[in-house]
Amino acid sequence: MSSMKEMINEHIHSSAHLSKKHVHPRLMKLFEAGGLASVYDRAEGQYLFTENGDKYLDFLGGGGVFMLGRNHPRVKQALRDVLDLEIPNLCVTNASILGGLLAEKLLNVAGPENYSKVFFANSGTESTDMTIRFARFLTRRRRFLYLEGAFHGRTYAAISMCGMPQLRDGMEPLMPICTPIKANDINMLRRELKAGDVAGFIFEPVQGMTLEVLDPGYLREAEILCKQYGTLMISDEVQAGLCRTGPFFGSVGAGVRPSMITVSKILSGGQVPVAAVLMTEEVYQALFQKFKSGPIYFSTFAENNLAMAAAIATVDELVEIDAPARVEVLSKLLKDGLEKIKSNYDVIDRVVGKGLMLGVYFKDSNNLALALQQRLMMSADQGAFGAAVNVDMQVKHRILTQIPGPNLNALKILPPVITTEEDVQYFLEAFEDTIASYYTVQSSPIRSISRGFVNQTLKNVKGALPAGILSSFMPKPASDDDGKKNTRMS
Ligand SMILES: Cc1ncc(COP(=O)(O)O)c(C=O)c1O
């Protein structure tokens, strides 16, 4: 029988094929067609390496989990220690040493005067569901308010509060009486809360999809209103928490004290699934006074030793490196650089986000050739231009970025806190090169998208046009020698 090492060595370069066969047939095919299916065989810090030795800068970070970079030595050591010590795991009838330690560390960074209890879960969406269940139970109300453009996960309660209708398609009816409201519109929030029937108001301090930042003034007024009308304020910091936007908790940093805060992604250094819900003493006491029969919350694997140990190491590391301060420095460099590029290219509409959760929205250029391509692409898919930029950043410059959400004409980055000044410079140069290239005849966003994973967009555009027009945007057929312009990452 093969050891794990032997199995990995044997399969690592065909992993994409096995996944294509058994796990993600459609997705892998699209990635391959778009030239985005690089097989990475090593990961270290902010970099991924392919079997050919190509180096990629990872500003996507597994969807925001690798704030400390991949395979962080401290997190790895914590996992090894737990396995080597052979301490008991999941005893159920016994308190978990590591769960208690992690809870204390999380409460310390949140401010022990603010929060006193922590419940653990296995994923972000599970932590959302926990808060929804608690809010219903405590208030005995059924209505929830969520923000347009919000994302809180994909379980039933979470998807019911998803502010992107596309993600709910085909799943209705979902949880009843969940009302979307506009972000940063305090009058709208007040109007809805006044009805006195709202169990919870859930929000992300910085929205993961739209990258809209909630104004601290709005949050502070919202806190007062929620108290006044007996509604629980729930801050979803699954993505925005643990220094991603600067402070350890975005809401606390904005000067508010929501009833519950969820965290997940960054929490275990990307190594083991984990999530946590921090709650105030009032919420905890109310829950346990009302709940008489058995535990109000339990999940088999939630406090497993590996997740707890990885999370302890991660929180300790974030504290020791003073992550909030480093995030501010990197954020300023990135934002200033992006604003400077924006001033030179009219296709950039605005720079958005906060901390290391940043993005750029695009708009129609005044350059006629480029504007025509943009309109053609976007008639088929609102986010097509952003998708082209995303493809070029990866294929030409070996930088992983992402499209923030469906139909959003934008590019998003989630760089790790270990990003260097040199990485920032490399990213900014690559981004400027990508944008500048669309103003030349040599490069075309339509052609880029043709190798991207929204291939269907190109087909739709082709179908809508007189024969031959599209080829004028395609000086030569897409080929493997296209791109890889910048070689510093090799
Ligand atoms: C703000 C927010 N909440 C919840 C979730 C769901 O987390 P998970 O994918 O771990 O269920 C996500 C995931 O991206 C998120 O960004």
Side-chain angles (χ1 to χ4, degrees):
M1 204 168 58
S2 309
S3 70
M4 182 53 69
K5 267 190 187 158
E6 286 165 345
M7 249 190 287
I8 289 172
N9 284 336
E10 191 185 332
H11 288 279
I12 192 153
H13 295 126
S14 64
S15 58
H17 306 128
L18 287 181
S19 184
K20 194 164 79 181
K21 192 170 162 197
H22 302 304
V23 191
H24 297 298
R26 196 159 155 233
L27 197 63
M28 295 313 294
K29 236 172 150 171
L30 287 173
F31 280 144
E32 273 182 10
L36 292 180
S38 303
V39 176
Y40 307 110
D41 59 7
R42 196 167 69 78
E44 188 184 332
Q46 63 273 52
Y47 307 114
L48 288 160
F49 300 88
T50 66
E51 57 181 322
N52 310 322
D54 289 340
K55 183 174 166 187
Y56 285 71
L57 178 62
D58 183 9
F59 272 12
L60 166 56
V65 299
F66 293 111
M67 182 64 151
L68 293 177
R70 291 171 187 263
N71 294 315
H72 191 280
R74 185 172 192 157
V75 179
K76 277 186 350 192
Q77 191 55 49
L79 293 171
R80 283 197 193 103
D81 286 351
V82 164
L83 291 174
D84 290 347
L85 284 168
E86 298 186 352
I87 55 171
N89 196 10
L90 306 176
C91 290
V92 182
T93 56
N94 203 342
S96 149
I97 304 164
L98 295 175
L101 267 171
L102 174 59
E104 188 165 82
K105 285 175 190 292
L106 282 171
L107 295 170
N108 277 341
V109 289
E113 68 287 4
N114 293 326
Y115 296 94
S116 69
K117 297 290 182 291
V118 183
F119 285 174
F120 293 104
N122 307 284
S123 64
T125 196
E126 229 183 88
S127 65
T128 304
D129 269 39
M130 200 196 305
T131 63
I132 299 305
R133 205 158 61 82
F134 289 174
R136 280 192 67 164
F137 181 75
L138 285 179
T139 61
R140 300 297 154 124
R141 298 173 179 174
R142 293 169 61 197
R143 193 151 84 98
F144 284 87
L145 302 180
Y146 65 96
L147 298 178
E148 289 171 8
F151 182 72
H152 299 294
R154 285 186 157 87
T155 44
Y156 181 68
I159 206 85
S160 305
M161 281 160 231
C162 179
M164 289 274 172
Q166 302 91 327
L167 297 183
R168 310 205 309 227
D169 187 32
M171 296 177 197
E172 313 274 354
L174 292 168
M175 246 176 71
I177 35 183
C178 297
T179 313
I181 56 172
K182 275 204 182 333
N184 288 322
D185 184 338
I186 200 69
N187 291 329
M188 197 168 184
L189 177 65
R190 186 182 294 110
R191 252 195 330 270
E192 295 297 336
L193 288 176
K194 259 188 178 165
D197 62 347
V198 179
F201 164 48
I202 187 166
F203 63 89
E204 302 152 85
V206 179
Q207 290 195 330
M209 288 222 192
T210 64
L211 292 166
E212 177 147 10
V213 180
L214 292 196
D215 182 49
Y218 169 80
L219 285 174
R220 285 196 286 269
E221 275 216 55
E223 183 182 24
I224 295 168
L225 288 171
C226 283
K227 280 213 176 89
Q228 188 178 342
Y229 294 107
T231 297
L232 296 193
M233 191 180 189
I234 303 162
S235 185
D236 176 347
E237 308 206 18
V238 164
Q239 186 169 162
L242 296 172
C243 312
R244 173 60 70 196
T245 66
F248 267 90
F249 298 93
S251 52
V252 178
V256 293
R257 183 175 169 262
S259 306
M260 290 178 270
I261 303 180
T262 60
V263 282
S264 179
K265 289 181 184 270
I266 289 171
L267 186 52
S268 68
Q271 293 285 15
V272 194
V274 71
V277 177
L278 280 71
M279 64 190 74
T280 61
E281 186 64 19
E282 298 96 279
V283 167
Y284 176 80
Q285 288 301 337
L287 275 175
F288 279 83
Q289 268 164 25
K290 286 199 174 177
F291 200 76
K292 306 287 182 217
S293 51
I296 186 160
Y297 172 75
F298 181 77
S299 177
T300 307
F301 286 104
E303 263 180 89
N304 76 84
N305 283 342
L306 291 181
M308 299 297 103
I312 288 168
T314 303
V315 175
D316 280 348
E317 183 70 10
L318 290 170
V319 171
E320 261 178 54
I321 63 172
D322 192 3
R326 182 66 185 154
V327 168
E328 289 308 324
V329 171
L330 288 169
S331 183
K332 182 163 170 27
L333 286 176
L334 283 159
K335 272 188 139 174
D336 288 353
L338 289 170
E339 289 288 357
K340 196 159 162 237
I341 297 170
K342 173 181 169 285
S343 65
N344 291 327
Y345 302 93
D346 67 350
V347 79
I348 299 174
D349 185 31
R350 60 194 195 279
V351 178
V352 289
K354 189 164 186 277
L356 291 179
M357 195 170 169
L358 297 173
V360 167
Y361 273 85
F362 301 105
K363 62 177 167 54
D364 278 2
S365 168
N366 286 323
N367 176 302
L368 272 183
L370 178 53
L372 176 59
Q373 292 183 71
Q374 286 182 292
R375 273 179 217 148
L376 289 174
M377 296 164 83
M378 287 163 68
S379 64
D381 184 319
Q382 280 297 309
F385 182 78
V389 179
N390 187 46
V391 169
D392 279 340
M393 289 297 281
Q394 183 162 336
V395 173
K396 287 189 185 168
H397 296 285
R398 297 189 188 131
I399 303 178
L400 272 65
T401 54
Q402 73 177 109
I403 316 162
N407 275 335
L408 293 175
N409 194 19
L411 187 79
K412 174 180 169 188
I413 53 168
L414 293 166
V417 67
I418 58 162
T419 298
T420 64
E421 273 77 355
E422 201 194 5
D423 295 325
V424 170
Q425 198 53 34
Y426 180 72
F427 165 79
L428 291 171
E429 280 170 18
F431 180 66
E432 178 157 17
D433 182 80
T434 300
I435 299 299
S437 73
Y438 301 145
Y439 290 78
T440 67
V441 286
Q442 281 82 32
S443 195
S444 138
I446 289 192
R447 186 161 152 249
S448 300
I449 207 80
S450 73
R451 48 189 318 172
F453 50 84
V454 280
N455 244 345
Q456 190 56 41
T457 305
L458 188 75
K459 277 194 202 141
N460 295 345
V461 171
K462 265 182 178 163
L465 291 178
I469 279 226
L470 206 58
S471 57
S472 60
F473 295 117
M474 299 190 168
K476 64 185 171 85
S479 69
D480 283 346
D481 64 307
D482 179 34
K484 304 217 165 95
K485 181 182 182 319
N486 207 322
T487 52
R488 196 211 68 146
M489 279 288 150
S490 325

Short mmCIF file of all heavy atoms in Angstrom, two decimals, residues 145-188:
data_model
loop_
_atom_site.label_atom_id
_atom_site.label_comp_id
_atom_site.label_asym_id
_atom_site.label_seq_id
_atom_site.Cartn_x
_atom_site.Cartn_y
_atom_site.Cartn_z
N LEU A 145 -33.01 41.49 8.35
CA LEU A 145 -32.60 42.50 7.37
C LEU A 145 -31.19 42.16 6.91
O LEU A 145 -30.33 41.83 7.75
CB LEU A 145 -32.60 43.90 8.00
CG LEU A 145 -33.93 44.39 8.59
CD1 LEU A 145 -33.74 45.80 9.17
CD2 LEU A 145 -35.03 44.40 7.53
N TYR A 146 -30.98 42.23 5.61
CA TYR A 146 -29.63 42.04 5.08
C TYR A 146 -29.38 43.09 4.00
O TYR A 146 -30.33 43.74 3.54
CB TYR A 146 -29.45 40.62 4.54
CG TYR A 146 -30.30 40.29 3.33
CD1 TYR A 146 -29.79 40.40 2.04
CD2 TYR A 146 -31.62 39.88 3.48
CE1 TYR A 146 -30.56 40.09 0.94
CE2 TYR A 146 -32.41 39.58 2.37
CZ TYR A 146 -31.88 39.69 1.10
OH TYR A 146 -32.65 39.40 0.01
N LEU A 147 -28.14 43.24 3.61
CA LEU A 147 -27.81 44.32 2.68
C LEU A 147 -27.77 43.85 1.24
O LEU A 147 -27.34 42.71 0.96
CB LEU A 147 -26.45 44.94 3.05
CG LEU A 147 -26.39 45.59 4.43
CD1 LEU A 147 -25.00 46.13 4.71
CD2 LEU A 147 -27.44 46.70 4.57
N GLU A 148 -28.18 44.71 0.35
CA GLU A 148 -28.04 44.41 -1.08
C GLU A 148 -26.56 44.17 -1.37
O GLU A 148 -25.71 44.88 -0.84
CB GLU A 148 -28.55 45.60 -1.92
CG GLU A 148 -30.06 45.74 -1.84
CD GLU A 148 -30.56 47.03 -2.48
OE1 GLU A 148 -29.77 47.75 -3.11
OE2 GLU A 148 -31.77 47.31 -2.32
N GLY A 149 -26.28 43.17 -2.18
CA GLY A 149 -24.87 42.87 -2.52
C GLY A 149 -24.18 42.00 -1.48
O GLY A 149 -22.99 41.70 -1.62
N ALA A 150 -24.92 41.58 -0.44
CA ALA A 150 -24.28 40.81 0.64
C ALA A 150 -24.06 39.35 0.25
O ALA A 150 -24.74 38.81 -0.63
CB ALA A 150 -25.17 40.85 1.88
N PHE A 151 -23.10 38.73 0.92
CA PHE A 151 -22.93 37.27 0.81
C PHE A 151 -22.63 36.74 2.20
O PHE A 151 -21.72 37.22 2.89
CB PHE A 151 -21.78 36.92 -0.14
CG PHE A 151 -21.63 35.44 -0.30
CD1 PHE A 151 -22.57 34.71 -1.02
CD2 PHE A 151 -20.58 34.74 0.29
CE1 PHE A 151 -22.46 33.33 -1.16
CE2 PHE A 151 -20.45 33.37 0.16
CZ PHE A 151 -21.41 32.66 -0.57
N HIS A 152 -23.41 35.73 2.63
CA HIS A 152 -23.21 35.18 3.97
C HIS A 152 -23.03 33.66 3.96
O HIS A 152 -23.05 33.04 5.01
CB HIS A 152 -24.39 35.56 4.87
CG HIS A 152 -24.55 37.04 5.03
ND1 HIS A 152 -23.62 37.81 5.69
CD2 HIS A 152 -25.51 37.90 4.58
CE1 HIS A 152 -24.01 39.09 5.64
NE2 HIS A 152 -25.15 39.16 4.98
N GLY A 153 -22.90 33.05 2.78
CA GLY A 153 -22.70 31.61 2.71
C GLY A 153 -23.77 30.94 1.88
O GLY A 153 -24.64 31.60 1.28
N ARG A 154 -23.72 29.59 1.85
CA ARG A 154 -24.59 28.88 0.93
C ARG A 154 -25.52 27.87 1.59
O ARG A 154 -26.14 27.05 0.92
CB ARG A 154 -23.75 28.19 -0.15
CG ARG A 154 -23.21 29.15 -1.17
CD ARG A 154 -22.50 28.43 -2.30
NE ARG A 154 -22.44 29.24 -3.50
CZ ARG A 154 -21.50 30.13 -3.79
NH1 ARG A 154 -20.53 30.34 -2.93
NH2 ARG A 154 -21.52 30.80 -4.91
N THR A 155 -25.60 27.87 2.93
CA THR A 155 -26.62 27.03 3.55
C THR A 155 -27.95 27.77 3.43
O THR A 155 -28.00 28.93 3.03
CB THR A 155 -26.28 26.76 5.03
OG1 THR A 155 -25.85 27.98 5.61
CG2 THR A 155 -25.20 25.70 5.18
N TYR A 156 -29.02 27.09 3.86
CA TYR A 156 -30.37 27.59 3.60
C TYR A 156 -30.60 28.99 4.18
O TYR A 156 -31.06 29.89 3.47
CB TYR A 156 -31.34 26.57 4.19
CG TYR A 156 -32.79 26.87 4.00
CD1 TYR A 156 -33.37 26.83 2.73
CD2 TYR A 156 -33.59 27.18 5.09
CE1 TYR A 156 -34.71 27.10 2.57
CE2 TYR A 156 -34.93 27.44 4.93
CZ TYR A 156 -35.49 27.41 3.67
OH TYR A 156 -36.81 27.67 3.51
N ALA A 157 -30.26 29.19 5.45
CA ALA A 157 -30.50 30.50 6.06
C ALA A 157 -29.60 31.54 5.41
O ALA A 157 -30.03 32.66 5.12
CB ALA A 157 -30.24 30.46 7.56
N ALA A 158 -28.34 31.18 5.17
CA ALA A 158 -27.37 32.13 4.63
C ALA A 158 -27.75 32.57 3.22
O ALA A 158 -27.70 33.76 2.90
CB ALA A 158 -25.97 31.53 4.65
N ILE A 159 -28.15 31.64 2.40
CA ILE A 159 -28.47 31.99 1.01
C ILE A 159 -29.78 32.80 0.96
O ILE A 159 -30.01 33.57 0.03
CB ILE A 159 -28.53 30.72 0.10
CG1 ILE A 159 -28.23 31.08 -1.35
CG2 ILE A 159 -29.84 29.98 0.18
CD1 ILE A 159 -26.81 31.14 -1.71
N SER A 160 -30.60 32.65 2.00
CA SER A 160 -31.84 33.45 2.07
C SER A 160 -31.52 34.92 2.28
O SER A 160 -32.36 35.79 2.07
CB SER A 160 -32.72 32.99 3.24
OG SER A 160 -32.98 31.62 3.15
N MET A 161 -30.29 35.20 2.74
CA MET A 161 -29.89 36.58 2.98
C MET A 161 -28.78 37.00 2.03
O MET A 161 -27.93 37.83 2.36
CB MET A 161 -29.45 36.73 4.43
CG MET A 161 -30.66 36.85 5.31
SD MET A 161 -30.33 36.47 6.98
CE MET A 161 -31.62 35.28 7.29
N CYS A 162 -28.79 36.39 0.86
CA CYS A 162 -27.77 36.72 -0.13
C CYS A 162 -28.27 37.86 -1.01
O CYS A 162 -29.34 37.75 -1.62
CB CYS A 162 -27.47 35.48 -0.97
SG CYS A 162 -26.27 35.81 -2.22
N GLY A 163 -27.51 38.93 -1.04
CA GLY A 163 -27.93 40.10 -1.81
C GLY A 163 -27.58 40.03 -3.27
O GLY A 163 -27.56 41.05 -3.95
N MET A 164 -27.26 38.85 -3.77
CA MET A 164 -27.01 38.65 -5.20
C MET A 164 -28.06 37.66 -5.68
O MET A 164 -27.87 36.43 -5.52
CB MET A 164 -25.62 38.03 -5.43
CG MET A 164 -24.49 38.98 -5.14
SD MET A 164 -24.16 39.96 -6.60
CE MET A 164 -23.00 41.13 -5.91
N PRO A 165 -29.17 38.13 -6.26
CA PRO A 165 -30.28 37.23 -6.60
C PRO A 165 -29.83 36.05 -7.48
O PRO A 165 -30.40 34.96 -7.37
CB PRO A 165 -31.25 38.13 -7.36
CG PRO A 165 -30.85 39.53 -7.04
CD PRO A 165 -29.42 39.52 -6.62
N GLN A 166 -28.78 36.27 -8.31
CA GLN A 166 -28.32 35.18 -9.20
C GLN A 166 -27.97 33.92 -8.41
O GLN A 166 -28.12 32.81 -8.89
CB GLN A 166 -27.06 35.59 -9.97
CG GLN A 166 -27.17 36.82 -10.82
CD GLN A 166 -26.79 38.08 -10.04
OE1 GLN A 166 -27.02 38.18 -8.85
NE2 GLN A 166 -26.24 39.05 -10.74
N LEU A 167 -27.45 34.11 -7.19
CA LEU A 167 -27.00 32.96 -6.42
C LEU A 167 -28.17 32.18 -5.79
O LEU A 167 -27.98 31.10 -5.26
CB LEU A 167 -26.02 33.40 -5.33
CG LEU A 167 -24.73 34.03 -5.84
CD1 LEU A 167 -23.79 34.36 -4.69
CD2 LEU A 167 -24.01 33.13 -6.83
N ARG A 168 -29.37 32.79 -5.86
CA ARG A 168 -30.52 32.10 -5.25
C ARG A 168 -31.40 31.45 -6.29
O ARG A 168 -32.38 30.79 -5.96
CB ARG A 168 -31.34 33.11 -4.45
CG ARG A 168 -30.50 33.93 -3.51
CD ARG A 168 -31.29 34.44 -2.38
NE ARG A 168 -32.49 35.13 -2.82
CZ ARG A 168 -32.86 36.31 -2.36
NH1 ARG A 168 -32.11 36.91 -1.46
NH2 ARG A 168 -33.96 36.88 -2.76
N ASP A 169 -31.00 31.64 -7.55
CA ASP A 169 -31.82 31.17 -8.66
C ASP A 169 -32.13 29.68 -8.51
O ASP A 169 -31.24 28.86 -8.28
CB ASP A 169 -31.04 31.43 -9.96
CG ASP A 169 -31.91 31.12 -11.16
OD1 ASP A 169 -33.13 31.32 -11.05
OD2 ASP A 169 -31.36 30.66 -12.18
N GLY A 170 -33.40 29.33 -8.63
CA GLY A 170 -33.81 27.93 -8.59
C GLY A 170 -33.92 27.35 -7.20
O GLY A 170 -34.15 26.15 -7.05
N MET A 171 -33.73 28.17 -6.17
CA MET A 171 -33.74 27.62 -4.81
C MET A 171 -34.92 28.14 -3.99
O MET A 171 -35.06 27.78 -2.83
CB MET A 171 -32.45 27.99 -4.09
CG MET A 171 -31.27 27.36 -4.74
SD MET A 171 -29.78 27.87 -3.93
CE MET A 171 -28.61 27.42 -5.19
N GLU A 172 -35.73 29.00 -4.57
CA GLU A 172 -36.87 29.55 -3.84
C GLU A 172 -37.91 28.44 -3.63
O GLU A 172 -37.97 27.52 -4.42
CB GLU A 172 -37.51 30.69 -4.64
CG GLU A 172 -36.52 31.70 -5.20
CD GLU A 172 -36.15 32.80 -4.21
OE1 GLU A 172 -36.77 32.83 -3.13
OE2 GLU A 172 -35.26 33.59 -4.52
N PRO A 173 -38.77 28.48 -2.62
CA PRO A 173 -38.80 29.50 -1.60
C PRO A 173 -37.73 29.26 -0.54
O PRO A 173 -37.51 28.12 -0.11
CB PRO A 173 -40.19 29.36 -0.98
CG PRO A 173 -40.53 27.92 -1.18
CD PRO A 173 -39.83 27.48 -2.44
N LEU A 174 -37.10 30.35 -0.14
CA LEU A 174 -36.08 30.25 0.91
C LEU A 174 -36.70 30.67 2.24
O LEU A 174 -37.92 30.64 2.38
CB LEU A 174 -34.89 31.14 0.53
CG LEU A 174 -34.13 30.62 -0.70
CD1 LEU A 174 -33.17 31.66 -1.22
CD2 LEU A 174 -33.37 29.34 -0.38
N MET A 175 -35.88 31.07 3.20
CA MET A 175 -36.44 31.49 4.49
C MET A 175 -37.35 32.68 4.29
O MET A 175 -36.98 33.63 3.60
CB MET A 175 -35.29 31.90 5.42
CG MET A 175 -35.14 30.98 6.60
SD MET A 175 -33.71 31.46 7.58
CE MET A 175 -34.26 32.97 8.31
N PRO A 176 -38.54 32.64 4.88
CA PRO A 176 -39.46 33.76 4.63
C PRO A 176 -39.02 35.04 5.34
O PRO A 176 -38.20 34.99 6.26
CB PRO A 176 -40.78 33.25 5.23
CG PRO A 176 -40.39 32.23 6.23
CD PRO A 176 -39.08 31.64 5.80
N ILE A 177 -39.56 36.12 4.88
CA ILE A 177 -39.37 37.48 5.42
C ILE A 177 -37.91 37.85 5.75
O ILE A 177 -37.58 38.22 6.85
CB ILE A 177 -40.33 37.80 6.61
CG1 ILE A 177 -40.59 36.59 7.48
CG2 ILE A 177 -41.59 38.43 6.11
CD1 ILE A 177 -41.59 36.88 8.61
N CYS A 178 -37.11 37.74 4.73
CA CYS A 178 -35.76 38.31 4.80
C CYS A 178 -35.79 39.53 3.87
O CYS A 178 -36.09 39.38 2.68
CB CYS A 178 -34.71 37.32 4.32
SG CYS A 178 -34.65 35.86 5.36
N THR A 179 -35.51 40.70 4.40
CA THR A 179 -35.70 41.93 3.63
C THR A 179 -34.35 42.54 3.26
O THR A 179 -33.56 42.87 4.15
CB THR A 179 -36.50 42.96 4.46
OG1 THR A 179 -37.62 42.30 5.03
CG2 THR A 179 -36.93 44.14 3.63
N PRO A 180 -34.10 42.73 1.95
CA PRO A 180 -32.85 43.41 1.57
C PRO A 180 -32.98 44.92 1.75
O PRO A 180 -34.04 45.49 1.46
CB PRO A 180 -32.72 43.07 0.07
CG PRO A 180 -34.10 42.76 -0.40
CD PRO A 180 -34.91 42.32 0.78
N ILE A 181 -31.94 45.55 2.25
CA ILE A 181 -31.93 47.02 2.36
C ILE A 181 -30.62 47.54 1.78
O ILE A 181 -29.67 46.79 1.63
CB ILE A 181 -32.12 47.51 3.82
CG1 ILE A 181 -31.04 46.90 4.75
CG2 ILE A 181 -33.50 47.18 4.34
CD1 ILE A 181 -31.04 47.49 6.15
N LYS A 182 -30.60 48.83 1.50
CA LYS A 182 -29.41 49.45 0.90
C LYS A 182 -28.33 49.67 1.95
O LYS A 182 -28.63 50.17 3.04
CB LYS A 182 -29.78 50.81 0.32
CG LYS A 182 -30.33 50.74 -1.06
CD LYS A 182 -30.14 52.06 -1.80
CE LYS A 182 -30.74 52.01 -3.19
NZ LYS A 182 -30.83 50.71 -3.80
N ALA A 183 -27.09 49.34 1.60
CA ALA A 183 -25.97 49.59 2.50
C ALA A 183 -25.81 51.08 2.73
O ALA A 183 -26.03 51.88 1.81
CB ALA A 183 -24.69 49.01 1.90
N ASN A 184 -25.46 51.46 3.94
CA ASN A 184 -25.17 52.86 4.31
C ASN A 184 -26.39 53.79 4.22
O ASN A 184 -26.22 55.01 4.22
CB ASN A 184 -24.02 53.43 3.44
CG ASN A 184 -22.69 52.82 3.85
OD1 ASN A 184 -22.45 52.59 5.02
ND2 ASN A 184 -21.84 52.54 2.88
N ASP A 185 -27.59 53.23 4.13
CA ASP A 185 -28.80 54.05 4.10
C ASP A 185 -29.51 53.92 5.45
O ASP A 185 -30.31 53.00 5.68
CB ASP A 185 -29.71 53.58 2.95
CG ASP A 185 -30.95 54.45 2.80
OD1 ASP A 185 -31.33 55.12 3.79
OD2 ASP A 185 -31.53 54.45 1.71
N ILE A 186 -29.19 54.83 6.36
CA ILE A 186 -29.67 54.70 7.74
C ILE A 186 -31.18 54.91 7.82
O ILE A 186 -31.86 54.28 8.65
CB ILE A 186 -28.89 55.64 8.70
CG1 ILE A 186 -29.03 55.17 10.15
CG2 ILE A 186 -29.31 57.08 8.55
CD1 ILE A 186 -28.34 53.91 10.47
N ASN A 187 -31.73 55.74 6.94
CA ASN A 187 -33.18 55.97 7.00
C ASN A 187 -33.95 54.71 6.64
O ASN A 187 -34.98 54.40 7.24
CB ASN A 187 -33.58 57.12 6.06
CG ASN A 187 -33.06 58.43 6.60
OD1 ASN A 187 -32.94 58.60 7.82
ND2 ASN A 187 -32.70 59.34 5.71
N MET A 188 -33.43 53.99 5.66
CA MET A 188 -34.08 52.75 5.25
C MET A 188 -34.03 51.73 6.39
O MET A 188 -35.01 51.05 6.70
CB MET A 188 -33.37 52.19 4.02
CG MET A 188 -34.15 51.18 3.28
SD MET A 188 -33.34 50.90 1.69
CE MET A 188 -34.51 49.78 0.97
#
